[in-house]
Amino acid sequence: MFTLPATGSNIRATNFVKLVRISCIFLLMAAMSARAAEDSIEKLAQDPRCVRGLAWIDKNSAWLTERQIQITEIPAPEFGEGPRGEFMKKEFEAAGLKVQTDKTGNVIAVWPGSDAKDVVLFAAHLDTVFPAGTDVRVKRNGGRLEAPGISDNSAGLAALLGLARALAESRIATTKTIVLAADVGEEGEGNLRGIRALVESYGSRLSAVIAVDGASTDHVTTQGIASRRFEVTITGPGGHSWSDFGAPNPITALSRGIVRFSSIRLPNDPRSSFNFGIIEGGTSVNSIPARVVVKIDLRSEDEAELNRMESALRDAMQAGIKEEMGAMPDARLDFDPLEVKFRSLGARPAGKISENSPFSEAVQSVERYLGNRSRPERSSTDANIPLSAGVPAIAIGGGGKGGGSHTLAEWYDPTERELGLKRLLLIALSTAGVQP
């Protein structure tokens, strides 16, 4: 008796069966892990200490909304976050937390765990995009609160205060240390300097970072978008609009460059964007300007695409100058040429958290327990910095609903803000671990 050798088709069939079996084993293990995580969250939520914290949240929504109004009405333009930081410091202290302000301006409150070398960091930025002098008084319109910055990021800051109070009310002991930081420099030219300082300071002690940004509970930011910001200055001889007509005009050259750059095609994948946000220049309507400045924001999911966009921007500005100089009448060629200078205003690195990491699974388990159907999102937030350093990080809203961010018509609705706060508390406790 003998056995016929396996044919190629038999080998492929056998390998396919093995692959199916292995896949089923992995799926079963993943399902068991998810079930265990959900059981863990349910057990945590039923802990009498956690119950006290959750009950505080249910009873104090109105109190928290009043704190949010107070935060909003303290102006916090870029590099002017100090007064708002002082308010947060007093509120953290009133909750019983130990608080300090670091040299960067971050206000740091600590809920000590049994292990000071393992830290879970919650960060909400103090600054707004609105310049000094903006009217930030809060107006009530039915159930809505309306004011610049009311959602981005007064909602996040208020949520930190709510988390501090809920922890204090729970009197729960954690294994890891929980740090609540109201940080500076998230918006505009701040270049994430606050979170950079925090990540550098805590270094390898960081086990997870949660950026609390805005209000929304319908998404979780799991990927940081890379960005680069530039200031472009074009200078020329200037002159009188009549007697020096024909001299090269920096504003016209800049306009030519903007039009040229704006015509480039951006891919749908990776998603990318650009924005010309501020233009300044000139002295009077009847003077040819000697100088013009523009500030530009470039973003992309991919660093290589960002490199292409930066190169295209530089080429477009040079082409705009060449075109403007070429438009000069032959009789006016004695004028000095235009010059362009680029200055970096900041760069945000990209990063992404693994969907299968223990921290991601803990967050997803909290969402399932609360019945919150959030979707993964990509954005540029404080989470960019820890993600780029390999630290598990997400950005989430503090609860409620908001809209009109970065506009004077910004609004916030505190309806169901409790969901966002409960999510923060359960993420904090499940990530930090609780002591018996």
Side-chain angles (χ1 to χ4, degrees), residues 174-259:
T174 60
T175 301
K176 299 177 183 179
T177 293
I178 299 173
V179 173
L180 311 181
D183 67 325
V184 299
E186 195 273 345
E187 299 285 11
E189 296 177 38
N191 198 30
L192 303 180
R193 72 183 192 282
I195 193 67
R196 289 178 194 272
L198 290 167
V199 170
E200 181 179 355
S201 175
Y202 287 105
S204 61
R205 289 179 288 168
L206 285 176
S207 61
V209 176
I210 300 91
V212 189
D213 202 336
S216 177
T217 56
D218 64 5
H219 68 268
V220 176
T221 298
T222 58
Q223 179 177 347
I225 302 301
S227 69
R228 296 176 195 172
R229 290 162 181 171
F230 298 95
E231 178 184 84
V232 179
T233 302
I234 299 178
T235 56
H240 192 281
S241 62
W242 175 257
S243 59
D244 294 313
F245 178 71
N249 188 316
I251 290 180
T252 307
L254 174 64
S255 301
R256 295 178 191 273
I258 290 175
V259 170

Side-chain angles (χ1 to χ4, degrees), residues 89-314:
K89 183 173 185 291
K90 292 177 182 177
E91 290 294 327
F92 282 140
E93 289 172 339
L97 277 66
K98 183 179 179 180
V99 189
Q100 65 169 331
T101 301
D102 69 12
K103 63 182 181 181
T104 307
N106 300 315
V107 179
I108 303 167
V110 178
W111 181 263
S114 59
D115 186 356
K117 295 183 179 180
D118 210 345
V119 173
V120 179
L121 172 63
F122 287 79
H125 67 88
L126 289 160
D127 55 327
T128 73
V129 299
F130 304 100
T134 301
D135 184 358
V136 291
R137 289 173 295 179
V138 178
K139 302 175 182 62
R140 294 182 183 270
N141 184 1
R144 285 187 176 187
L145 303 174
E146 299 176 350
I150 186 69
S151 182
D152 184 12
N153 190 34
S154 293
L157 292 167
L160 277 196
L161 296 182
L163 177 56
R165 292 280 181 162
L167 286 170
E169 184 67 22
S170 73
R171 301 190 297 277
I172 198 165
T174 60
T175 301
K176 299 177 183 179
T177 293
I178 299 173
V179 173
L180 311 181
D183 67 325
V184 299
E186 195 273 345
E187 299 285 11
E189 296 177 38
N191 198 30
L192 303 180
R193 72 183 192 282
I195 193 67
R196 289 178 194 272
L198 290 167
V199 170
E200 181 179 355
S201 175
Y202 287 105
S204 61
R205 289 179 288 168
L206 285 176
S207 61
V209 176
I210 300 91
V212 189
D213 202 336
S216 177
T217 56
D218 64 5
H219 68 268
V220 176
T221 298
T222 58
Q223 179 177 347
I225 302 301
S227 69
R228 296 176 195 172
R229 290 162 181 171
F230 298 95
E231 178 184 84
V232 179
T233 302
I234 299 178
T235 56
H240 192 281
S241 62
W242 175 257
S243 59
D244 294 313
F245 178 71
N249 188 316
I251 290 180
T252 307
L254 174 64
S255 301
R256 295 178 191 273
I258 290 175
V259 170
R260 182 178 289 266
F261 178 77
S262 298
S263 67
I264 68 170
R265 296 181 63 86
L266 297 183
N268 293 324
D269 184 19
R271 184 181 171 190
S272 306
S273 71
F274 62 84
N275 182 60
F276 293 88
I278 300 174
I279 297 178
E280 299 173 332
T283 55
S284 70
V285 70
N286 59 334
S287 298
I288 299 171
R291 180 175 179 270
V292 66
V293 179
V294 63
K295 294 181 180 180
I296 307 121
D297 175 87
L298 307 178
R299 302 189 186 205
S300 181
E301 297 171 349
D302 181 73
E303 291 281 358
E305 178 62 21
L306 205 55
N307 290 336
R308 186 185 77 85
M309 292 169 67
E310 179 182 341
S311 178
L313 175 67
R314 294 178 181 274

Side-chain angles (χ1 to χ4, degrees), residues 29-47:
M29 291 175 63
M32 292 174 64
S33 176
R35 182 65 236 179
E38 289 177 31
D39 290 344
S40 177
I41 296 298
E42 185 173 357
K43 182 179 178 181
L44 172 63
Q46 293 172 354
D47 185 305

